[in-house]
Amino acid sequence: MFAAKLSFLKLLLRAAGGEDGGVIAGIRAAAMLASKTPFVKLLLRAAFAIAPACALGGVGVVADAATLASVFAPVADAAALATTAEDLAYRASVEKWRADYENDLKSDHGWLTISGLFWLHEGENRFGSDPLGDIVLPAGSAPPDAGYFEFHHGKTTVHVKAGVPITLGGKPIETAELRPDSSDRLVLGDISLWIHASGERYTVRLQDKNSKVRKAFTKLEWFPVDESYRVTAHFQLYDEPKQIEMQNEAGDTLHVPLAGYVTFTLRGQELRLDAQADDKTGELSFVFRDLTSGKETYGASRFLDTDAPRHGEVVLDFNKAYNPPCAYNPYTTCPLPPPQNRLRARIEAGEMNYKHDR
């Protein structure tokens, strides 16, 4: 083992500009490259660990502690600089992700624009700006009577009153069947309407670019970035998708397929989370709660997304854990985590409670 290390150091020194008898000069020369070449940085770390043994073996001229310090100081400094650069790059990437997330939240299509949730009943559900209607639209956004949604046994058909300029897919319509949670969206000026299924119940969801929730938004709060909350997890695929029941904040039961689960170690604690998977991309999503929930973080749950697993592994970065839309907006329905995703651990990372008046 020592002979292999010795040969490795000799190769390192030659590559760095030194010779067998020039340990000091060779390592110093290599140190100059450390901050520029990641591969050299790895070699330097190895050299730092084995150079004292090599010196004792008679390869170099390292003679005392003071000389060792003078030799390895630039190596340690270079390694520290490289590590610092990596840390700063990681922190910057997380901060950018957080800024992009907040900008998306505040955008014209973000969750802050949801300004109404109207539960459908069997038969006709009239909509317009009339305050006594079933589905009340913002004053001035529509005629008092704009039409009605005909709802029967989970099937919804919209009937638009003549002369009301509502479009579907960019084209004016008079009547059309609307699929729940699809691209079937009715547009009238700055507002949009679509059908949303909450378990066995159906609603008309209203989106308004001039939403009061959007106008009253302040800013998001986050834990400081801590790379120890970025861990590699093992992903185990279920033989077949596991169907479970999950509740949402509206009190409805959701039937959710789970693709598999991840196991990981976080600060010495073994943990597990069940995962949903995107059918097209394979990306994973998690709904979880932890011991900060209801205190520093939103009480109901938080979300976490990852890339698709590779070679049975996936990276969980809890610095990017974020709140469900219910944390900001009372007109949304959000899933609650199943019992197995309620972690007996404090995840002091990611998004904190949103401070606002409701």
Side-chain angles (χ1 to χ4, degrees):
M1 186 69 177
F2 176 77
K5 289 182 178 180
L6 189 60
S7 298
F8 179 74
L9 180 60
K10 288 179 179 179
L11 291 173
L12 166 65
L13 297 178
R14 288 193 184 105
E19 296 296 333
D20 291 354
V23 176
I24 296 176
I27 292 181
R28 279 176 174 161
M32 298 299 293
L33 302 175
S35 62
K36 300 178 180 179
T37 309
F39 180 67
V40 174
K41 181 186 70 178
L42 294 175
L43 295 180
L44 283 170
R45 287 175 178 169
F48 185 86
I50 67 174
C54 294
L56 292 175
V59 176
V61 293
V62 180
D64 53 38
T67 305
L68 274 172
S70 70
V71 170
F72 289 117
V75 179
D77 289 345
L81 284 172
T83 301
T84 299
E86 290 174 355
D87 290 344
L88 290 175
Y90 169 70
R91 289 174 183 270
S93 71
V94 173
E95 295 294 351
K96 181 181 183 305
W97 181 92
R98 291 176 174 182
D100 290 344
Y101 172 77
E102 183 166 331
N103 287 335
D104 186 72
L105 184 67
K106 296 186 295 185
S107 70
D108 284 350
H109 60 265
W111 285 108
L112 299 178
T113 60
I114 303 301
S115 57
L117 195 67
F118 305 94
W119 301 96
L120 290 170
H121 57 77
E122 288 288 323
E124 294 185 3
N125 298 258
R126 308 204 68 82
F127 69 97
S129 58
D130 183 351
L132 297 181
D134 298 305
I135 298 165
V136 182
L137 306 183
S141 68
D145 182 10
Y148 64 93
F149 294 95
E150 185 179 2
F151 181 72
H152 290 294
H153 305 294
K155 179 181 176 180
T156 307
T157 303
V158 65
H159 299 271
V160 178
K161 193 170 183 178
V164 180
I166 289 179
T167 61
L168 175 65
K171 298 179 180 180
I173 65 158
E174 293 182 357
T175 184
E177 182 178 342
L178 303 176
R179 300 165 297 170
D181 299 307
S182 70
S183 59
D184 295 345
R185 299 197 175 198
L186 306 175
V187 178
L188 177 61
D190 286 340
I191 67 171
S192 300
L193 300 166
W194 67 91
I195 306 302
H196 169 61
S198 179
E200 301 299 322
R201 297 193 295 167
Y202 290 81
T203 75
V204 171
R205 179 167 271 172
L206 167 66
Q207 183 177 51
D208 182 5
K209 294 178 183 179
N210 304 302
S211 162
K212 293 180 180 179
V213 174
R214 186 184 190 188
K215 291 179 178 179
F217 178 78
T218 54
K219 65 184 182 69
L220 304 183
E221 300 288 344
W222 304 86
F223 284 102
V225 178
D226 184 346
E227 196 167 0
S228 68
Y229 282 103
R230 182 177 185 268
V231 298
T232 299
H234 173 73
F235 175 70
Q236 180 62 52
L237 185 71
Y238 287 126
D239 293 336
E240 294 183 1
K242 180 180 178 182
Q243 296 287 335
I244 67 166
E245 291 186 350
M246 292 172 61
Q247 303 299 307
N248 68 11
E249 290 197 55
D252 296 307
T253 300
L254 312 177
H255 299 278
V256 179
L258 299 176
Y261 63 90
V262 294
T263 53
F264 58 99
T265 301
L266 183 64
R267 299 195 165 190
Q269 189 173 357
E270 296 292 329
L271 299 170
R272 167 179 165 157
L273 285 171
D274 269 337
Q276 297 172 251
D278 185 284
D279 292 336
K280 296 180 179 178
T281 65
E283 296 172 346
L284 303 182
S285 61
F286 303 86
V287 182
F288 74 95
R289 188 183 294 174
D290 66 276
L291 295 181
T292 68
S293 300
K295 303 177 181 70
E296 298 94 333
T297 63
Y298 184 58
S301 66
R302 285 190 288 168
F303 295 167
L304 181 65
D305 303 323
T306 75
D307 292 334
R310 295 187 62 186
H311 309 297
E313 291 186 338
V314 65
V315 174
L316 305 177
D317 192 343
F318 287 99
N319 291 293
K320 297 178 181 179
Y322 61 98
N323 287 337
C326 292
Y328 326 110
N329 195 322
Y331 303 114
T332 55
T333 60
C334 303
L336 301 175
Q340 63 269 30
N341 279 17
R342 302 179 186 192
L343 303 177
R344 294 193 179 277
R346 285 182 58 82
I347 309 296
E348 298 177 11
E351 190 175 357
M352 304 177 73
N353 264 324
Y354 173 57
K355 299 179 177 62
H356 64 139
D357 296 327
R358 289 276 288 270

